[in-house]
Amino acid sequence: RDSFFDPESEIGNLPVYASAAGISENYLSRQVRQSTGHSVGNWIDIARLVRAKRLLADTSLPIIEVATAVGLEDQSYFARFFRIKTGQTPSEFRKAMHG
């Protein structure tokens, strides 16, 4: 369900979402793929990216705190993830949003 991947809620991983739904990880993975054509991991990445963009645009939180808020404790991993998904570093994105 989309509500599991709400970017405003805490972002977890497959075991967290399967447990919250009371179903097996394999069943959740199959259901998400059948319903959307995407993997659970892809949905989690989308939720992380949406939340990170919102936090970078709307707050002055340090990048490390944005990374932590989206469930990625390693700032350098977060920066790579963000750049791969958007073509910009988190700092570049923030700067572009604030002109």
Side-chain angles (χ1 to χ4, degrees):
R1 304 182 118 196
D2 286 339
S3 61
F4 281 121
F5 307 107
D6 176 4
E8 295 305 317
S9 62
E10 186 172 331
I11 298 170
N13 56 27
L14 177 57
V16 168
Y17 292 120
S19 177
I23 57 178
S24 75
E25 293 172 29
N26 287 336
Y27 184 74
L28 177 59
S29 293
R30 282 193 311 273
Q31 290 300 105
V32 169
R33 186 166 301 279
Q34 286 176 355
S35 297
T36 69
H38 297 284
S39 69
V40 170
N42 190 7
W43 279 108
I44 293 169
D45 284 351
I46 290 167
R48 281 192 170 115
L49 192 59
V50 168
R51 188 169 189 189
K53 284 180 172 181
R54 186 170 296 130
L55 290 171
L56 290 167
D58 297 342
T59 74
S60 59
L61 286 173
I63 303 293
I64 186 64
E65 290 185 30
V66 173
T68 301
V70 300
L72 300 174
E73 301 292 325
D74 182 326
Q75 184 174 344
S76 61
Y77 178 80
F78 170 68
R80 285 191 307 274
F81 165 83
F82 195 88
R83 186 176 185 107
I84 288 167
K85 299 294 185 184
T86 68
Q88 297 177 300
T89 67
S91 297
E92 290 168 341
F93 177 83
R94 178 174 269 165
K95 191 173 197 177
M97 294 303 295
H98 293 253

